[in-house]
């Protein structure tokens, strides 16, 4: 990725265990990649691709639909309300969001500690 | 290592001040998100996750004393942005200040731009040290006088009062960004500025808030085809028609606004071709550029990607002229760094604002380190983990790793160079890679424009260092 002849830093000692670190020396990134693929064989082809970028673009998206809420409420009258913890993160569909599920709106009127 | 001025003498850095509390439990709002010196260096602004701005001023009495140049006192603090909720898009808008940029000073007041994900604000910071006294119909405390008791006329005069620093929002530039603003940059023409989000860059006039011009748009017609996003953008320091923007794929595009109204076609494309044999799963992620900064001279620009800092000559697009490894030893930790983030990505749904969520948002491998130039462009600086920060002398002469820590918090204490041991025999004062604290990271640093004074932000503390004289 970066040209070797332009690096300024003196090479760090990679270790005394020469035999198995030989391969690591050559490309520690490749062995890291192998490690990752061994753990997650189904990892997608394009790690930096669409999924990752789409997630980045959607930061902050909350899902609350009042229509869903009321429909679910009507359906749920006789049943027990599902607890938030079980379905990590679904606030749509049958799950009825309660005030506890929703993120706290922080009070922002406290002076910064940097100014203290 | 020479900073501003010194020939071959080693510059030694000393502790000057540290701001903020040393609590065990750090409140999210106190996380510092941006730091910036003003153009004169007299003022130093910080923004935090709680939407607050704190401005420090160089102590006027200490300014001329070499040993105390790095004395900065609180000058003003205000709430810049509040959390908002966009009901139409079901989107929570964080109040976190992403960037602060100062305007060059034109009169007695100071102006800065501060931005969160969606809205940019122009703040005026002015001093008031006089007040009118001696009104005819009002007492000095504001109570109205009985008109019948007024027997003579007097002219109100200005009397000195205790200094009051007031911050007021003069302009609010809103509703121009669908995606999250990552950069703002004031033009050298002092009339316009740009704001960049993940997919678009807009040009504003500082006086006009209801209109902005879109100058770059990389949104594909079909979002499925999205392959890269804009990560940073900056105007050239002298050429008002030139700006650059960096991408998540490690490229930098230089655009000339004289060429066309919409600068989708770059004038120059800076990209270093990767050796195909070194290409890996991580390649694209670690080549994503987190910051781009022009040198003061305007001849060079510096980019920061996950592992290195690169200096580019604007006249050469094919490769950087200098590359500095910030923390090469992390190459052998990429798996666990990525893994931690991946696992979090899978099990946390965005809306859950739990501890887990904020860890995700502070992802290691997606950490956006910034970089900065010294005033004379001879040294560049960037942060790392374990509250380490690195300085590289141009021309590859020397580099040093320093630490912002509570242990070195006595005035004028000299910072000792730190070393990280990547493996094998660890010398006495070296830190092993596996002992690095990845939760203590320095993302934001800034260098005084004319002096060897630096401000380094750890998670919730601001350290000010100066060179030893």
């Amino acid at each position: 990725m970066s040209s070797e002849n332009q690096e300024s830093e003196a090479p760090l000692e990679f270790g005394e265990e020469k035999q198995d670190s030989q391969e690591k020396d050559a490309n520690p990134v490749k062995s890291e990649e192998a490690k990752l693929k061994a753990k997650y064989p189904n990892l997608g082809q394009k790690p930096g691709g669409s999924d990752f970028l789409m997630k980045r673009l959607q930061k902050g998206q909350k899902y609350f639909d009042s229509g869903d809420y009321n429909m679910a409420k009507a359906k749920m009258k006789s049943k027990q309300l599902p607890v938030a913890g079980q379905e990590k993160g679904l606030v749509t569909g049958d799950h009825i969001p309660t005030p506890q599920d929703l993120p706290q709106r922080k009070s922002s009127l406290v002076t910064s500690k940097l100014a203290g | 290592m020479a900073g501003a001025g010194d020939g071959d003498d080693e510059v030694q850095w000393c502790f000057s001040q540290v701001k903020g509390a040393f609590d065990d439990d750090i409140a999210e709002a106190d996380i510092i998100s941006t730091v910036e010196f003003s153009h004169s260096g007299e003022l130093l602004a910080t923004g935090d996750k709680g939407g607050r701005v704190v401005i420090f001023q160089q102590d006027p009495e200490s300014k001329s004393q070499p040993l105390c140049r790095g004395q900065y006192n609180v000058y003003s603090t205000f709430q810049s942005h509040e959390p908002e909720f966009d009901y139409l898009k079901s989107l929570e808008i964080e109040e976190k200040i992403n960037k602060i940029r100062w305007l060059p000073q034109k009169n007695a007041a100071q102006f800065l731009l501060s931005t969160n994900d969606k809205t940019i604000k122009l703040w005026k910071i002015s001093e008031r040290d006089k007040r009118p006294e001696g009104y005819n119909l009002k007492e000095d405390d504001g109570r109205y006088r009985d008109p019948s008791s007024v027997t003579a006329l007097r002219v109100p005069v200005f009397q000195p009062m205790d200094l009051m620093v007031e911050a007021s929002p003069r302009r609010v530039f809103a509703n121009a960004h669908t995606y999250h603003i990552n950069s703002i940059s004031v033009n050298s023409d002092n009339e316009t500025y740009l704001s960049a989000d993940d997919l678009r860059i807009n040009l504003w006039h500082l006086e006009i808030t209801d209109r902005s011009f879109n100058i770059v748009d990389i949104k594909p017609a079909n979002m499925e085809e999205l392959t890269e996003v804009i990560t940073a953008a900056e105007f050239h320091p002298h050429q008002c028609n030139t700006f650059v923007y960096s991408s998540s794929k490690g490229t930098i595009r230089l655009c000339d606004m004289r060429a066309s109204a919409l600068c989708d076609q770059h004038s120059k494309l800076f990209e270093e071709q990767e050796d195909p044999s070194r290409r890996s799963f991580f390649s694209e992620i670690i080549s994503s550029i987190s910051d781009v900064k022009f040198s003061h001279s305007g001849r060079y620009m510096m980019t920061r990607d996950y592992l290195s800092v690169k200096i580019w000559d604007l006249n050469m697009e094919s490769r950087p002229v200098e590359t500095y490894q910030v923390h090469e030893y992390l190459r052998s930790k990429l798996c666990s760094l990525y893994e931690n983030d991946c696992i979090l990505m899978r099990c946390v749904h965005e809306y859950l604002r739990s501890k887990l969520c904020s860890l995700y948002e502070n992802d290691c491998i997606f950490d956006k380190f910034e970089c900065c130039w010294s005033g004379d462009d001879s040294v560049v600086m960037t942060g790392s983990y374990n509250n380490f920060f690195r300085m590289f002398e141009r021309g590859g002469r020397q580099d040093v790793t320093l630490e912002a820590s509570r242990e070195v918090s006595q005035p004028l204490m000299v910072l000792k160079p730190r070393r990280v041991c990547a493996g094998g025999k660890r010398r006495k004062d070296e830190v092993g890679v596996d002992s690095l604290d990845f939760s203590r990271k320095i993302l934001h640093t800034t260098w005084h424009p004319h002096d060897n004074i630096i401000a380094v932000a750890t998670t919730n503390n601001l350290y000010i260092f100066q060179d030893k004289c």
Side-chain angles (χ1 to χ4, degrees):
Chain A
M1 179 179 83
S2 49
S3 315
E4 294 294 337
N5 60 2
Q6 280 165 359
E7 285 170 10
S8 69
E9 196 178 287
L12 294 166
E13 269 75 61
F14 271 108
E16 313 292 87
E17 315 89 69
K18 289 289 182 191
Q19 58 282 27
D20 65 325
S21 64
Q22 210 86 43
E23 198 181 47
K24 260 199 164 178
D25 272 345
N27 201 341
V29 182
K30 279 292 186 195
S31 69
E32 287 295 300
E33 183 178 17
K35 251 198 263 176
L36 195 70
K37 289 215 164 124
K39 276 187 166 175
Y40 306 103
N42 297 323
L43 211 46
Q45 287 307 309
K46 284 190 68 67
S50 264
D51 285 344
F52 154 57
L53 291 177
M54 290 305 287
K55 179 164 285 292
R56 184 182 175 143
L57 296 179
Q58 279 165 20
K59 177 186 90 163
Q61 201 96 39
K62 314 292 170 201
Y63 297 100
F64 173 76
D65 189 317
S66 60
D68 273 350
Y69 178 83
N70 287 306
M71 295 279 283
K73 225 169 151 187
K75 252 196 270 179
M76 285 290 169
K77 254 190 202 133
S78 50
K79 292 191 229 166
Q80 202 185 9
L81 292 174
V83 176
Q86 284 163 9
E87 297 159 347
K88 267 195 179 147
L90 281 181
V91 222
T92 54
D94 287 344
H95 174 81
I96 300 175
T98 60
Q100 291 94 296
D101 295 347
L102 299 175
Q104 292 297 319
R105 297 300 304 282
K106 310 171 284 276
S107 159
S108 46
L109 301 174
V110 181
T111 310
S112 165
K113 288 189 181 152
L114 290 181
Chain B
M1 171 169 68
D6 288 328
D8 287 293
D9 297 350
E10 285 258 335
V11 166
Q12 288 193 294
W13 291 92
C14 308
F15 172 87
S16 177
Q17 290 176 307
V18 62
K19 308 287 183 188
F22 285 106
D23 301 326
D24 286 324
D25 232 347
I26 299 170
E28 246 191 81
D30 290 327
I31 295 172
I32 299 172
S33 51
T34 184
V35 199
E36 187 83 354
F37 274 108
S38 65
H39 289 263
S40 63
E42 189 204 340
L43 298 178
L44 176 60
T46 62
D48 65 21
K49 221 168 175 218
R52 302 163 300 189
V53 170
V54 181
I55 301 175
F56 302 92
Q57 182 193 41
Q58 198 173 20
D59 188 65
E61 283 151 30
S62 313
K63 228 198 288 204
S64 45
Q65 293 169 34
L67 290 176
C68 322
R69 284 138 48 227
Q71 288 290 324
Y72 280 79
N73 308 315
V74 179
Y75 180 66
S76 171
T77 177
F78 54 93
Q79 187 75 38
S80 172
H81 287 72
E82 296 268 0
E84 287 172 61
F85 196 85
D86 180 339
Y87 296 96
L88 205 58
K89 295 184 198 155
S90 204
L91 201 68
E92 187 169 70
I93 302 167
E94 262 194 305
E95 67 275 35
K96 171 168 75 89
I97 309 294
N98 292 333
K99 285 277 155 43
I100 288 174
R101 289 290 181 264
W102 291 92
L103 268 58
Q105 192 172 14
K106 279 197 278 199
N107 51 38
Q110 299 275 0
F111 287 87
L112 62 77
L113 286 171
S114 70
T115 186
N116 69 350
D117 282 340
K118 297 286 180 180
T119 306
I120 307 129
K121 294 187 184 180
L122 177 69
W123 288 88
K124 176 181 179 181
I125 296 108
S126 47
E127 294 183 357
R128 189 196 291 268
D129 61 358
K130 295 183 264 294
R131 65 156 172 253
E133 283 176 14
Y135 285 107
N136 291 291
L137 298 175
K138 264 198 301 189
E139 301 287 355
D140 286 340
D141 59 9
R143 283 177 300 142
Y144 282 96
R145 292 171 76 185
D146 177 6
S148 57
S149 71
V150 177
T151 52
L153 279 180
R154 58 185 179 175
V155 178
V157 291
F158 276 100
Q159 296 290 356
M161 62 179 253
D162 287 337
L163 180 67
M164 215 168 66
V165 181
E166 302 169 322
S168 58
R170 305 303 285 183
R171 305 272 186 278
V172 177
F173 304 91
N175 303 318
H177 286 278
T178 309
Y179 302 99
H180 298 106
I181 298 174
N182 52 56
S183 313
I184 46 175
S185 177
V186 184
N187 202 346
S188 53
D189 68 6
N190 232 329
E191 288 184 354
T192 57
Y193 75 94
L194 63 76
S195 58
D197 66 31
D198 291 317
L199 296 177
R200 298 193 179 99
I201 301 178
N202 293 330
L203 180 70
W204 301 84
H205 191 285
L206 285 165
E207 301 288 327
I208 300 167
T209 58
D210 61 354
R211 252 173 303 159
S212 79
F213 288 104
N214 176 242
I215 51 177
V216 172
D217 188 339
I218 65 167
K219 183 172 188 229
N222 180 0
M223 282 299 267
E224 296 279 309
E225 291 162 24
L226 182 69
T227 55
E228 67 182 324
V229 294
I230 297 169
T231 53
E234 190 175 65
F235 264 120
H236 190 277
H238 314 306
Q239 294 166 20
C240 58
N241 52 283
T242 305
F243 67 92
V244 293
Y245 68 92
S246 58
S247 85
S248 54
K249 273 187 155 173
T251 63
I252 309 102
R253 287 174 176 79
L254 184 142
C255 300
D256 185 335
M257 295 195 293
R258 298 169 301 187
S260 70
L262 192 58
C263 295
D264 281 359
Q265 292 278 69
H266 55 263
S267 297
K268 293 196 183 191
L269 174 66
F270 297 83
E271 186 175 16
E272 185 170 26
Q273 294 304 324
E274 189 191 6
D275 179 358
S277 67
R278 292 180 70 106
R279 183 151 183 84
S280 78
F281 177 83
F282 300 103
S283 293
E284 196 170 305
I285 300 170
I286 61 176
S287 68
S288 176
I289 292 172
S290 50
D291 194 16
V292 64
K293 292 262 169 51
F294 277 105
S295 64
H296 293 92
S297 65
R299 165 86 190 266
Y300 299 94
M301 67 177 173
M302 164 168 53
T303 57
R304 174 69 156 98
D305 51 70
Y306 190 64
L307 296 176
S308 66
V309 157
K310 294 179 182 174
I311 299 189
W312 303 77
D313 183 328
L314 293 188
N315 299 315
M316 186 164 77
E317 299 163 64
S318 54
R319 57 184 165 81
V321 288
E322 295 161 47
T323 300
Y324 301 105
Q325 298 302 325
V326 180
H327 33 220
E328 180 79 3
Y329 44 80
L330 290 185
R331 277 193 202 276
S332 52
K333 293 204 69 97
L334 290 176
C335 179
S336 60
L337 286 170
Y338 184 81
E339 192 183 3
N340 284 327
D341 305 330
C342 251
I343 288 171
L344 290 168
M345 261 168 140
R346 270 205 291 275
C347 74
V348 175
H349 193 279
E350 241 84 289
Y351 92 101
L352 269 180
R353 282 271 204 166
S354 63
K355 203 92 208 280
L356 216 50
C357 213
S358 63
L359 271 178
Y360 162 59
E361 280 166 16
N362 292 322
D363 282 350
C364 275
I365 205 163
F366 304 118
D367 280 331
K368 298 196 203 120
F369 291 97
E370 291 173 9
C371 53
C372 62
W373 295 84
S374 66
D376 62 357
D377 295 339
S378 64
V379 186
V380 296
M381 170 167 68
T382 190
S384 178
Y385 295 106
N386 211 70
N387 280 353
F388 286 171
F389 57 101
R390 307 266 283 131
M391 287 185 186
F392 301 96
E393 196 177 338
R394 298 282 310 286
R397 284 206 286 278
Q398 286 183 72
D399 65 84
V400 70
T401 304
L402 300 172
E403 182 181 358
S405 89
R406 276 180 90 166
E407 279 138 34
V408 190
S409 48
Q410 295 298 318
L412 304 182
M413 253 181 106
V414 176
L415 298 178
K416 225 173 44 135
R418 308 304 312 265
R419 287 199 73 83
V420 176
C421 169
K425 249 188 221 148
R426 191 171 66 86
R427 286 198 280 269
K428 198 180 65 167
D429 52 359
E430 285 184 347
V431 180
V433 179
D434 293 313
S435 331
L436 292 176
D437 188 345
F438 288 94
S439 67
R440 287 160 66 225
K441 54 191 100 164
I442 290 176
L443 302 174
H444 313 286
T445 60
T446 182
W447 202 305
H448 189 290
H450 310 299
D451 200 349
N452 277 348
I453 302 171
I454 55 175
V456 168
T458 58
T459 307
N460 66 320
N461 293 106
L462 184 71
Y463 284 80
I464 300 174
F465 302 110
Q466 63 179 69
D467 68 343
K468 191 182 169 83
C469 320

